[in-house]
Structure formats: C-alpha cells, structure tokens
Amino acid sequence: KNGAPFDLFLSADLDYPRALVAAGLADEKSQAIFATGRLVLWTTRPGLKLQSIAETVRNSAVKKIAVANLDTAPYGRAARQALEQLGVWADAQPKLVVGENISQAAQFVATGNADIGFVALSLVLAPNLTEKGRWLAVPAELHAPLAHGAVLTARGAGNRAARQYLEFLSSKAARKVLEGFGYGVPASP
C-alpha cells in the first residue's frame, strides 16, 4: 500500500490479499490459498500440566496467557473464537498478554513471560522451539479456518520469477515442507 518494492505478498489470512486486490494493488487472478495454519496451546513451564484447553485456561497456576493481537492478527482472532466456543473467554480475559503478532505471543511463552500461549503450530515445530515445552492442538472447529493467502502485487504481476514462486507454493516439494512445519495444504494443488 505504501509503495514498497514487493512482487509477491504472503499473508496469514485472506483479508490482506483481498484488500490489495480491492485497492488495485494486486492481481486478482493470482490469489491463492497456499496453506492452512493450525492453532495450539503451548507452554514451556515444566510443572504445568496441559489438561483440556478449558481446564488449562481456568487453572489457578496459569497467571498469564499469551495471544496475538485479537483484532488484527489472524491467530489472535482464532484464539478468541476458540476461547468463546469453549465458554472460557471471561476466565481468560484478565490473564491475557497480547502480542503484536503470533511471533511475539510465542516469544512471551518461550521467555517465560507467559505461562501458556495460543500460537501457531508452525512456530512450536520450528527448529529453535521444537524441543521446548509441550502443546495441545486447538480443534479447528472452534475457530474460523486459518487460510494463508498469496497474491502477486501489481508490480509483480509481470515478474516471471514471482509467478514461478507462486506456482512453486502449490508444488509437491513445497507442500511437503509446509506439512512438515505443521501447516495444512489445499486438497488439490
């Protein structure tokens, strides 16, 4: 939107790519879902037992719960939806520590500044965190799908390399990498 020289835009949701298309800043025909994120409840506290999500949120030993921004971050919105669906939103609210994005929410848990956190599975499977802590998958039916979108920018629409990279994201090789980091991939490339 501000004229940065990007040819391809990848997003943790579909809202931002759609907004770029609506503003005439991206190629509508190139829009694609390249992955689906998965939300987990994660802790690095050795003594903290992860029970069900609701029980863990209500646990008196849990003083701080990290989430991404509840208004602007897709994983933050999903965490709120899951907490509401489980009937523990009111229990969670006073404990929330809100990060700007999902990476910052994970950082709060990794550093011990939050007891638990709702984070992306891809983050807890990343090499620097894979051996730290334990996690519970948040059932996907508790929140809106975390579809990750891609779109060629108006600048990149004519860039062959950018178009090839977008095509690569649906290749067997890319799908294998994405699945290895905990992402779901579209049923058909």
Side-chain angles (χ1 to χ4, degrees), residues 126-176:
N128 61 326
L129 297 179
T130 193
E131 298 296 323
K132 293 183 179 184
R134 297 161 328 284
W135 54 270
L136 287 174
V138 175
E141 63 270 10
L142 294 178
H143 58 81
L146 289 161
H148 290 236
V151 68
L152 289 168
T153 65
R155 168 195 160 100
N159 182 324
R160 184 171 174 256
R163 190 165 296 281
Q164 287 176 329
Y165 185 76
L166 182 59
E167 291 169 7
F168 167 75
L169 288 175
S170 64
S171 72
K172 188 176 180 179
R175 293 165 62 88
K176 185 177 179 180

Side-chain angles (χ1 to χ4, degrees), residues 52-181:
S52 72
I53 295 166
E55 289 175 33
T56 303
V57 167
R58 287 186 178 125
N59 185 335
S60 62
V62 173
K63 306 292 185 205
K64 294 182 182 177
I65 302 171
V67 294
N69 187 296
L70 300 165
D71 297 318
T72 61
Y75 285 86
R77 291 190 301 261
R80 180 180 183 152
Q81 291 166 359
L83 290 165
E84 289 172 343
Q85 289 292 318
L86 291 168
V88 294
W89 175 242
D91 297 296
Q93 278 185 289
K95 300 178 179 186
L96 294 181
V97 178
V98 181
E100 185 175 322
N101 54 46
I102 197 63
S103 295
Q104 190 173 40
Q107 182 182 25
F108 291 156
V109 179
T111 60
N113 289 306
D115 302 301
I116 61 174
F118 288 89
V119 303
L121 176 58
S122 60
L123 291 173
V124 300
L125 294 180
N128 61 326
L129 297 179
T130 193
E131 298 296 323
K132 293 183 179 184
R134 297 161 328 284
W135 54 270
L136 287 174
V138 175
E141 63 270 10
L142 294 178
H143 58 81
L146 289 161
H148 290 236
V151 68
L152 289 168
T153 65
R155 168 195 160 100
N159 182 324
R160 184 171 174 256
R163 190 165 296 281
Q164 287 176 329
Y165 185 76
L166 182 59
E167 291 169 7
F168 167 75
L169 288 175
S170 64
S171 72
K172 188 176 180 179
R175 293 165 62 88
K176 185 177 179 180
V177 171
L178 289 165
E179 287 174 329
F181 280 96

Side-chain angles (χ1 to χ4, degrees), residues 9-14 17 31-35 146-151 166 169:
F9 180 71
L10 303 179
S11 178
D13 68 6
L14 302 177
Q31 285 184 94
I33 295 173
F34 68 93
L146 289 161
H148 290 236
V151 68
L166 182 59
L169 288 175

